[in-house]
Amino acid sequence: MRQAIILAQRAESEGEVPVGAVLVLDGEIIGEGWNCPITTNDPTAHAEIMALRDAGNNVANYRLPGSTLYVTLEPCPMCAGAIVHARVKRVVYGTTDPKGGAAGSVFNLLPSDERFNHAVAAEGGVLADDCSELLRSFFRSRR
């Protein structure tokens, strides 16, 4: 999660909402991402999607079974869907997203809805204070 926080800080330095994500397989980082929808003009360029893309390229496969995604903010429904389709085993997130979280805050897509063909475990609250302070500070500076 600490590496995800570093990536969130990178997003912030680029004028993006500070969210970072790291995908790990067998103890090795296989993908990294940070929010960049503004700089890329891509509404799908959330940290999780960017980490999944990076990992897919690094392992030459769009399926990432056995992997764990660490992300500073609870995934949104779009990212939760991509996580399920990529066959990620587990998601660990920092702080909840009370406006659009898909791991129980607003939607219940992670842990995976039993209607999906793949189950993804989810755990929140890891370094939650650090992750939420990044977001609070970012939005405070924008007001």
Side-chain angles (χ1 to χ4, degrees):
M1 186 63 77
R2 294 201 189 284
Q3 180 61 23
I5 289 171
I6 290 168
L7 295 170
Q9 292 166 333
R10 179 171 179 174
E12 182 175 27
S13 75
E14 295 175 4
E16 301 277 359
V17 175
V19 179
V22 176
L23 202 68
V24 175
L25 180 64
D26 299 328
E28 299 289 327
I29 293 175
I30 60 168
E32 294 183 326
W34 55 92
N35 265 9
C36 57
I38 297 166
T39 55
T40 62
N41 298 308
D42 179 356
T44 69
H46 290 193
E48 300 94 322
I49 301 294
M50 302 310 289
L52 290 170
R53 289 176 182 165
D54 188 39
N57 285 329
N58 288 334
V59 301
N61 195 341
Y62 72 105
R63 304 273 190 198
L64 304 163
S67 63
T68 298
L69 179 69
Y70 295 88
V71 60
T72 58
L73 180 65
E74 179 183 7
C76 72
M78 174 187 70
C79 292
I83 290 163
V84 170
H85 285 291
R87 305 296 192 262
V88 171
K89 180 179 181 179
R90 181 173 165 238
V91 173
V92 178
Y93 62 91
T95 191
T96 58
D97 182 353
K99 294 190 177 199
S105 292
V106 179
F107 303 100
N108 292 309
L109 301 177
L110 301 173
S112 291
D113 185 299
E114 66 277 354
R115 294 171 286 186
F116 288 135
N117 63 349
H118 174 71
V120 178
E123 172 189 350
V126 176
L127 296 178
D129 291 340
D130 294 341
C131 295
S132 61
E133 182 52 36
L134 267 172
L135 291 160
R136 272 195 303 274
S137 152
F138 174 80
F139 288 113
R140 198 176 310 125
S141 74
R142 297 288 189 266
R143 291 185 193 123

